[in-house]
Amino acid sequence: MNNLQYGQDNEILQFIINNGIIDINDVQNSMEVMKREELLKKHPYKIWQGKDGKWYTYLPDDSKKDGRRLVKRTEENELGKVVVEYWKKFGEVHTLKSTFYEWADEKLRYGEIEKNTYDRYETDFHRFFNNGFENTNIKNITEDTLEDFIKSTINRKQLTSKAYSGMRTLIIGIFKYAKKHKYSDISIHTFFGDLNLSKKIFTKKVKCAEKEVFTECEIKSMVNYINGREMKIRELGILLAIYTGMRPGELSALKPSDIRKNDRTIHVQRSEVKYKGDDGKTVIGVKDFPKSDAGDRYLLLNDKAYETIKRILRLNPFGEYLFQDEKTHKRITENGFNHKLSRICVAINIPIRTMHKLRKTYGTTLIDRGVNDSIITEQMGHADIKTTRQYYYYSNQSNSEKLEQLNRACIV
């Protein structure tokens, strides 16, 4: 702003005050009220009314073991005054919780994460940091207290190593942000480099193959059941998932323009996304990129998959999306496919499993059939074969089939 503009603005403001258009005292009072509300909103501890009718909260106190002291007053307004005066005197507090939201909000604002990832971070934060630790002033958290929190949380919540990795992601993000903004002195990467966690500390999650994949006999029964009925678009989607192993979110986001008939491929380049809207309700939409970089791929169609695609196009020749409801013409969602798969499982009398288990079954079948590793990773949309073998492979052969292989393997 130049000096001339500044002088004009001051002259206008003085005119407004001198002529009683606004009362400077009213303005100051309004500013005080706004400041009070802002401080109370940022107060990291809950304010509540006890059974005795009095009002309670906590204030930070480094002399206490848990870093806080209990404060009570007869009236809620009086307690509010105590809280406001404390933060006026000692400055703004940055709790673990408030720092998390600052970090996550910034990542969302700059497009570093999508809204569905933000929602997952928020859910994970409430899952892991729900014992009062989230209200701790982050500057009071030492490496020792952070290590104790991590180990006690793993033990208390019986976390698997995979669940722990989600908590670790949040801690790294929060403390990197806190160090950058001088809320904390902890160098989080150095901390995790020095942190020694025994493998024994994590809960081992034993997965039953029968629940993770469909057996070969079940897949045959499912295909026969679908082919033996009047063909519907949802059933064809399930057939395509059986023959291609696509993620259900990728399946529901396919468009006819993704099909390349000349080289018999589908360009997988979108995925369904779920997130909370401004009103707190779940919004289901489509994002223009898949789950991962490796997920953007040209998926080869075997003969059965290619034939299924042609049947789908005959049923839905003009839809924006490949899978649209026959009556409403709305895109069929991931949940829509899961519900249809559940009904098929009930109809053929097998345990109910999700669409994702069809994907695991596809990955398992490719490995069992000796398909080249590079082809498997391309079809699955994985960065390397380790992911497929570690998380997607479960033997789905019957005991008699396994026994037959063992008998063939006997030397004498």
Side-chain angles (χ1 to χ4, degrees):
M1 181 185 295
N2 59 42
N3 291 334
L4 178 61
Q5 180 67 46
Y6 180 78
Q8 289 175 339
D9 288 348
N10 272 342
E11 185 178 344
I12 293 170
L13 179 61
Q14 195 60 51
F15 175 82
I16 291 172
I17 294 171
N18 292 341
N19 288 274
I21 297 173
I22 61 170
D23 189 326
I24 194 67
N25 291 324
D26 288 343
V27 173
Q28 289 174 336
N29 289 336
S30 296
M31 290 175 63
E32 282 297 317
V33 170
M34 289 174 63
K35 182 64 176 175
R36 181 179 186 277
E37 290 176 351
E38 184 180 343
L39 290 172
L40 285 174
K41 185 178 180 180
K42 291 184 176 180
H43 181 56
Y45 300 104
K46 181 176 70 172
I47 295 175
W48 77 95
Q49 187 174 28
K51 293 181 179 179
D52 58 0
K54 295 183 178 180
W55 290 86
Y56 294 82
T57 192
Y58 289 101
L59 289 176
D61 190 335
D62 293 338
S63 67
K64 302 294 183 182
K65 186 177 180 180
D66 60 355
R68 63 183 186 177
R69 60 184 170 88
L70 185 66
V71 180
K72 69 175 179 179
R73 291 292 186 274
T74 303
E75 301 292 335
E76 182 180 11
N77 188 51
E78 291 300 314
L79 185 63
K81 288 181 182 178
V82 174
V83 170
V84 169
E85 288 304 314
Y86 178 89
W87 294 119
K88 278 184 179 179
K89 183 176 180 180
F90 293 102
E92 185 179 0
V93 66
H94 298 282
T95 65
L96 196 68
K97 184 176 181 179
S98 67
T99 307
F100 161 75
Y101 278 107
E102 285 182 37
W103 165 68
D105 288 345
E106 182 181 89
K107 290 184 77 66
L108 182 65
R109 186 167 63 253
Y110 291 136
E112 297 177 69
I113 58 174
E114 293 292 312
K115 186 61 168 66
N116 60 319
T117 303
Y118 180 96
D119 292 342
R120 188 180 76 246
Y121 282 175
E122 187 174 37
T123 298
D124 283 349
F125 184 84
H126 291 305
R127 174 189 177 191
F128 299 126
F129 304 88
N130 65 346
N131 62 341
F133 191 65
E134 72 274 22
N135 293 321
T136 306
N137 190 335
I138 201 166
K139 74 175 182 179
N140 295 331
I141 299 176
T142 65
E143 291 190 357
D144 287 340
T145 55
L146 184 57
E147 180 175 349
D148 179 69
F149 167 78
I150 289 171
K151 290 181 176 179
S152 61
T153 301
I154 292 170
N155 180 266
R156 177 168 51 89
K157 292 187 173 291
Q158 298 291 290
L159 298 184
T160 62
S161 58
K162 186 176 181 181
Y164 162 69
S165 69
M167 181 173 74
R168 186 176 183 273
T169 296
L170 296 185
I171 293 174
I172 289 174
I174 291 167
F175 279 89
K176 275 186 69 177
Y177 183 91
K179 181 76 182 295
K180 177 183 176 182
H181 292 273
K182 296 181 172 54
Y183 301 165
S184 170
D185 294 326
I186 293 178
S187 297
I188 198 63
H189 285 298
T190 302
F191 167 82
F192 275 112
D194 295 336
L195 183 63
N196 185 22
L197 295 177
S198 169
K199 291 182 179 179
K200 294 181 179 179
I201 197 172
F202 298 110
T203 297
K204 297 289 189 297
K205 189 174 180 180
V206 180
K207 293 186 177 180
C208 176
E210 287 80 8
K211 294 181 180 179
E212 294 299 317
V213 292
F214 292 87
T215 68
E216 292 181 354
C217 289
E218 288 173 337
I219 290 293
K220 288 176 182 176
S221 296
M222 192 181 302
V223 171
N224 290 336
Y225 175 82
I226 293 172
N227 286 330
R229 295 165 54 83
E230 180 186 355
M231 199 56 61
K232 296 292 182 64
I233 201 76
R234 284 175 174 80
E235 284 89 341
L236 287 172
I238 290 168
L239 273 185
L240 190 61
I242 291 172
Y243 296 141
T244 64
M246 269 191 284
R247 297 178 178 92
E250 296 171 344
L251 191 74
S252 67
L254 286 176
K255 293 185 176 183
S257 57
D258 298 326
I259 301 166
R260 297 160 60 101
K261 292 182 179 179
N262 290 339
D263 55 8
R264 287 179 47 154
T265 62
I266 291 181
H267 186 190
V268 180
Q269 57 182 320
R270 279 175 240 91
S271 185
E272 184 176 280
V273 61
K274 298 177 185 177
Y275 59 92
K276 291 179 184 175
D278 295 336
D279 57 0
K281 295 181 179 179
T282 300
V283 178
I284 302 176
V286 172
K287 61 180 180 180
D288 291 328
F289 46 88
K291 185 177 180 182
S292 63
D293 291 340
D296 192 328
R297 63 200 188 279
Y298 288 92
L299 192 149
L300 284 167
L301 298 170
N302 60 35
D303 291 345
K304 291 183 178 179
Y306 189 63
E307 183 59 37
T308 303
I309 285 289
K310 290 193 289 186
R311 294 162 77 181
I312 293 166
L313 290 174
R314 284 197 293 269
L315 274 183
N316 180 28
F318 305 114
E320 178 186 3
Y321 289 96
L322 199 59
F323 297 103
Q324 295 184 175
D325 184 89
E326 291 92 338
K327 294 180 179 179
T328 66
H329 304 294
K330 291 183 179 179
R331 181 181 63 84
I332 297 172
T333 64
E334 182 177 334
N335 282 341
F337 284 120
N338 274 316
H339 290 155
K340 174 55 69 175
L341 180 58
S342 295
R343 289 195 288 272
I344 292 174
C345 289
V346 171
I348 62 176
N349 196 29
I350 64 172
I352 293 175
R353 276 153 287 183
T354 64
M355 290 289 291
H356 191 64
K357 307 307 181 186
L358 285 180
R359 176 169 164 79
K360 288 190 175 185
T361 304
Y362 180 75
T364 293
T365 302
L366 295 186
I367 292 173
D368 277 343
R369 295 294 188 270
V371 175
N372 186 281
D373 284 356
S374 63
I375 297 175
I376 294 175
T377 55
E378 288 173 2
Q379 291 294 100
M380 296 293 291
H382 288 156
D384 58 65
I385 195 63
K386 291 180 181 178
T387 303
T388 313
R389 293 187 182 278
Q390 183 174 353
Y391 298 110
Y392 288 78
Y393 180 76
Y394 297 87
S395 177
N396 65 341
Q397 296 176 331
S398 66
N399 284 340
S400 60
E401 290 170 323
K402 294 176 186 177
L403 187 58
E404 183 181 340
Q405 289 187 36
L406 291 173
N407 284 329
R408 288 199 304 267
C410 284
I411 297 174
V412 295

